[in-house]
Amino acid sequence: AQTVTQSQPEMSVQEAETVTLSCTYDTSESNYYLFWYKQPPSRQMILVIRQEAYKQQNATENRFSVNFQKAAKSFSLKISDSQLGDTAMYFCAHFSQGGSEKLVFGKGTKLTVNP
Amino acid sequence: DVKVTQSSRYLVKRTGEKVFLECVQDMDHENMFWYRQDPGLGLRLIYFSYDVKMKEKGDIPEGYSVSREKKERFSLILESASTNQTSMYLCASSLGLAGVNEQFFGPGTRLTVL
């Protein structure tokens, strides 16, 4: 069964600093996709970043980047120059073609950016 | 912009009542999903649908059913609500092969069953 593990239930960071959220996953498939979603307090969940497993280059979206280590099955999210608006729950998710055919989410990391 | 709307932000029901949660998306997406979100458990898939009148069970379908009579609308039904169904319910939709592409989420319905 595919699993996604986020080992940090809560994290905090000072405004303007950099923070890294951890995610590991388990799959026996070779073709899969990884995602980070953000859920701000009382607001809708939105996609932060998406990575295709066959692409070796790490995905980036402005201040958000990932460190994708395929052999280690690790997919961490780095937020640079943290802003107050980055305060949110962050969920790592994984989808394997040929696997369960479902998007599997981790339990989430609550990130607080302090002024 | 894709818009996914849910019929209620907050809902309070009594044990044994039949509960309908409605979700509508306006971007002609094939796939629609219902998730349940509980603290410390993340998001768990209840049901999903990849076409009108099609449905597939997710990881926790017990106590729930769904209906998709039109492409834009996906309903979650609690046939006889119980207190352990108190939770946040999230609807989502996506294009193409479910799981490959971005899922767009609604604002959620926080359901309390008394």
Side-chain angles (χ1 to χ4, degrees):
Chain A
Q2 292 145 349
T3 58
V4 176
T5 302
Q6 294 179 247
S7 58
Q8 306 146 317
E10 292 193 40
M11 294 188 73
S12 63
V13 65
Q14 292 300 121
E15 201 174 2
E17 292 187 350
T18 295
V19 63
T20 299
L21 280 58
S22 301
C23 173
T24 58
Y25 58 93
D26 189 22
T27 183
S28 57
E29 303 295 327
S30 58
N31 189 23
Y32 55 89
Y33 301 80
L34 296 162
F35 306 82
W36 278 99
Y37 281 89
K38 169 185 177 181
Q39 186 181 39
S42 301
R43 293 179 61 188
Q44 284 168 248
M45 182 123 43
I46 57 172
L47 178 69
V48 175
I49 206 160
R50 175 179 178 270
Q51 175 82 42
E52 298 170 22
Y54 63 87
K55 289 187 177 178
Q56 293 186 339
Q57 187 172 3
N58 289 327
T60 63
E61 287 289 339
N62 301 313
R63 297 182 295 106
F64 297 87
S65 61
V66 296
N67 183 5
F68 175 43
Q69 302 287 328
K70 193 170 184 179
K73 295 182 181 175
S74 171
F75 183 62
S76 58
L77 175 70
K78 185 171 86 171
I79 306 174
S80 304
D81 186 26
S82 298
Q83 300 176 0
L84 296 179
D86 295 333
T87 292
M89 282 291 292
Y90 288 83
F91 292 96
C92 179
H94 162 271
F95 174 80
S96 287
Q97 287 184 284
S100 69
E101 301 289 334
K102 299 168 197 167
L103 188 63
V104 178
F105 286 85
K107 295 182 178 181
T109 296
K110 183 179 181 181
L111 176 68
T112 302
V113 180
N114 298 308
Chain B
D1 281 351
V2 174
K3 196 165 184 182
V4 180
T5 57
Q6 295 184 229
S7 50
S8 305
R9 288 300 300 270
Y10 300 94
L11 208 53
V12 179
K13 295 291 182 181
R14 297 220 172 261
T15 302
E17 280 192 76
K18 191 169 185 175
V19 181
F20 293 87
L21 303 183
E22 304 283 338
C23 175
V24 177
Q25 50 94 4
D26 66 358
M27 284 299 291
D28 204 35
H29 284 175
E30 298 94 335
N31 310 302
M32 296 188 74
F33 310 84
W34 275 107
Y35 294 94
R36 173 174 171 161
Q37 182 179 8
D38 299 289
L41 296 179
L43 274 72
R44 293 179 290 167
L45 182 65
I46 304 172
Y47 269 97
F48 70 100
S49 168
Y50 53 88
D51 202 351
V52 176
K53 296 192 186 294
M54 305 301 290
K55 61 184 179 183
E56 293 284 344
K57 291 181 180 179
D59 297 315
I60 51 166
E62 296 79 18
Y64 303 94
S65 62
V66 290
S67 172
R68 193 163 180 205
E69 296 296 319
K70 293 184 178 182
K71 191 174 185 179
E72 68 270 18
R73 188 178 298 267
F74 191 37
S75 303
L76 180 69
I77 304 156
L78 287 66
E79 295 288 343
S80 177
S82 63
T83 55
N84 62 13
Q85 292 178 309
T86 291
S87 187
M88 171 70 88
Y89 291 87
L90 298 179
C91 176
S93 71
S94 73
L95 266 176
L97 181 61
V100 170
N101 296 315
E102 177 181 1
Q103 292 191 12
F104 294 86
F105 285 83
T109 295
R110 186 167 294 283
L111 172 67
T112 301
V113 182
L114 302 175

